[in-house]
Each structure stands twice: as structure tokens, then as C-alpha cells.
């Protein structure tokens, strides 16, 4: 497990993710606690898509794919699954840090009829759902193209589309970040869980699809000598 944590959470990823959350807090001022969920969920979903993109691809960039490719499928799946879970747990903790960071930074007013801890739970649960989906997108696209650039580019394009006004024209069940006003009509924004539940299921299916992708022979491309299957190259 220590090895998987080392691979899943290298220092540079911990640093840039913490800086990312800090920047969100600094550039997105809020006045009410009910406003925290909107920026936190959307931007943490983007971070998850980028963060999980290379949990398997690191075997290429680390020059270990020649050995890793020959592991039995069960061992590879267990290893990659542990890495993804470790990343999601870390990001979930980072969501909590970001939530309380908003509160300490802006001292927002509390006007909702819903208990504060319930709002906190809604924010954490909704953000986790969005991170699972966007994380599965980055992970799958990277493995499908065997290119980290393709994975991150796909995440950015999808995220921009899903946070644009175009999504308002689609049925509510397709709007991942949809929020609605509570029955109390006090300005409280609550997550629409039907859409998030659907996207979580899609995310789980995409993670499952990677069973096929991880079995594939790594591509022979430029940089193969450093990142590719060296043993394969020696085969006459």
C-alpha cells in the first residue's frame, strides 16, 4: 500500500492540488455559506479529471511499463484500483479543506433554514459524485489514447461544456452540476442528485471499461526507448 500511495500521490501532485484549492478560495469570494457548493464542486471535478488521468499512465512516464505490462491482470487491476481510491480519498479530504477554507477566509453569513452540517454533507456528497465521474473521464481517455495530453484535453473540453449555458437546454438529468432552490425559498442551493447518481454510474462503468484498456499492448511510438516495452523491442 505504501508503494501505491507513493505512486498515486507524488509531491508535485500534492503541491499543485493544494495550490489549486487555495487559488479557488482566493478568487471566488462568497457572501453566504450556501454559495460554497457551486465553485467548490465544479472546480474540484476539474481537478479530479486531471488528477486521476495518469494513475496508470505513470507506468509509461516512469519507464516501468516493460515490467508492469507483464503482471497478471488481477495484480494490475488491484494496483490501479488502489491508486484511484487513494486519489479520490485525498481529493475528498481536500474538498473538506476547501469548504472550511471558504468559511475562514470570508466569514459568510448563514441564512438557510437547513442545518449547517446538512449543507456541509450535501456539498461533500455532491462533489464526490462529480469527482468520480470526471476522474473516470480523465483516466479512461488517457488509457484509451495512451497519451496524458489526450486525457487532460478531453477533461478540459468536457468540463467547459458542462459548465456552459448550453447545459441548461438539456434535460435536468444530464446536468451534472445542477443546483435547485430549497422549498424554504431562502436562497439555499441544493444538489440535484438524480443527475449526479446517473453520472456516478457512468463513471463506474468507465472505470470498468479500463479492464480492457489495461490489457492492451503499449503503443510503439516516439519515446518508446524510454517509456515503452523494452523487452518487446529485443524480440527478433
Amino acid at each position: 500500500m505504501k508503494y501505491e500511495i507513493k505512486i498515486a500521490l507524488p509531491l508535485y501532485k500534492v503541491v499543485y492540488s493544494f495550490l489549486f484549492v487555495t487559488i479557488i478560495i482566493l478568487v471566488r469570494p462568497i457572501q453566504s455559506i450556501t454559495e460554497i457548493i457551486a465553485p467548490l464542486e465544479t472546480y474540484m471535478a476539474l481537478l479530479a479529471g486531471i488528477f486521476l488521468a495518469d494513475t496508470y499512465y505513470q507506468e509509461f512516464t516512469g519507464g516501468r511499463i516493460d515490467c508492469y505490462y507483464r503482471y497478471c491482470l488481477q495484480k494490475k487491476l488491484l494496483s490501479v484500483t488502489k491508486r484511484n481510491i487513494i486519489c479520490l480519498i485525498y481529493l475528498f479530504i481536500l474538498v473538506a479543506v476547501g469548504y472550511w477554507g471558504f468559511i475562514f477566509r470570508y466569514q459568510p453569513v448563514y441564512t438557510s433554514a437547513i442545518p449547517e452540517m446538512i449543507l456541509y454533507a450535501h456539498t461533500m456528497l455532491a462533489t464526490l459524485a462529480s469527482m468520480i465521474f470526471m476522474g473516470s473521464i480523465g483516466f479512461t481517455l488517457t488509457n484509451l489514447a495512451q497519451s496524458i495530453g489526450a486525457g487532460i484535453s478531453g477533461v478540459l473540453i468536457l468540463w467547459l461544456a458542462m459548465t456552459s449555458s448550453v447545459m441548461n437546454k438539456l434535460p435536468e438529468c444530464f446536468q451534472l452540476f445542477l443546483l435547485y432552490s430549497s422549498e424554504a425559498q431562502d436562497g439555499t442551493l441544493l444538489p440535484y442528485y438524480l443527475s449526479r447518481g446517473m453520472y456516478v454510474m457512468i463513471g463506474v462503468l468507465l472505470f470498468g471499461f479500463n479492464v480492457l484498456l489495461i490489457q492492451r499492448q503499449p503503443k510503439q511510438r516516439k519515446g518508446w526507448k524510454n517509456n515503452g516495452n523494452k523487452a518487446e523491442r529485443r524480440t527478433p
Side-chain angles (χ1 to χ4, degrees):
M1 181 61 75
K2 289 183 179 180
Y3 175 76
E4 303 304 342
I5 293 175
K6 181 180 178 181
I7 295 297
L9 300 176
L11 180 60
Y12 79 92
K13 293 180 77 171
V14 173
V15 171
Y16 84 66
S17 60
F18 186 81
L19 290 175
F20 184 83
V21 173
T22 301
I23 292 171
I24 294 173
I25 295 172
L26 294 176
V27 303
R28 289 298 301 268
I30 60 169
Q31 296 181 340
S32 171
I33 288 180
T34 61
E35 299 175 21
I36 296 177
I37 187 173
L40 193 59
E41 180 186 10
T42 53
Y43 284 104
M44 288 303 297
L46 172 61
L47 178 61
I50 297 172
F51 207 84
L52 270 68
D54 67 343
T55 49
Y56 171 64
Y57 191 75
Q58 287 187 48
E59 300 301 331
F60 288 85
T61 57
R64 301 181 297 269
I65 192 62
D66 56 324
C67 177
Y68 195 85
Y69 174 70
R70 285 170 169 74
Y71 289 173
C72 67
L73 178 60
Q74 182 179 2
K75 186 174 182 179
K76 286 190 288 187
L77 290 179
L78 181 60
S79 173
V80 172
T81 300
K82 285 181 180 179
R83 296 179 193 180
N84 285 331
I85 291 175
I86 289 168
C87 287
L88 286 172
I89 291 174
Y90 168 75
L91 291 172
F92 190 70
I93 294 172
L94 207 56
V95 173
V97 172
Y99 185 93
W100 295 108
F102 272 109
I103 292 178
F104 292 142
R105 174 69 175 83
Y106 297 106
Q107 298 295 312
V109 297
Y110 186 74
T111 59
S112 176
I114 299 176
E116 184 174 356
M117 293 308 296
I118 298 297
L119 287 180
Y120 173 63
H122 279 305
T123 301
M124 297 296 292
L125 186 59
T127 306
L128 176 61
S130 298
M131 291 193 303
I132 290 174
F133 172 70
M134 293 300 291
S136 72
I137 293 294
F139 182 66
T140 302
L141 290 179
T142 298
N143 295 340
L144 184 63
Q146 292 187 4
S147 167
I148 189 67
I152 293 178
S153 297
V155 166
L156 286 171
I157 293 171
L158 179 62
W159 182 82
L160 289 172
M162 301 195 81
T163 54
S164 69
S165 59
V166 175
M167 295 300 294
N168 296 331
K169 300 178 182 179
L170 299 179
E172 292 181 343
C173 62
F174 292 104
Q175 300 180 41
L176 175 60
F177 303 117
L178 180 62
L179 300 171
Y180 68 94
S181 298
S182 66
E183 296 179 356
Q185 298 296 318
D186 54 4
T188 301
L189 297 176
L190 298 175
Y192 184 66
Y193 284 111
L194 181 60
S195 63
R196 287 166 177 81
M198 184 189 74
Y199 279 108
V200 166
M201 289 189 289
I202 293 174
V204 171
L205 291 175
L206 287 175
F207 278 123
F209 175 64
N210 282 272
V211 173
L212 301 177
L213 300 181
I214 290 174
Q215 295 182 69
R216 293 187 308 162
Q217 168 71 38
K219 290 181 180 178
Q220 296 192 26
R221 60 188 185 281
K222 186 177 180 180
W224 178 261
K225 292 183 179 180
N226 295 324
N227 299 327
N229 193 327
K230 299 175 185 176
E232 188 71 19
R233 294 196 340 270
R234 292 195 294 268
T235 302

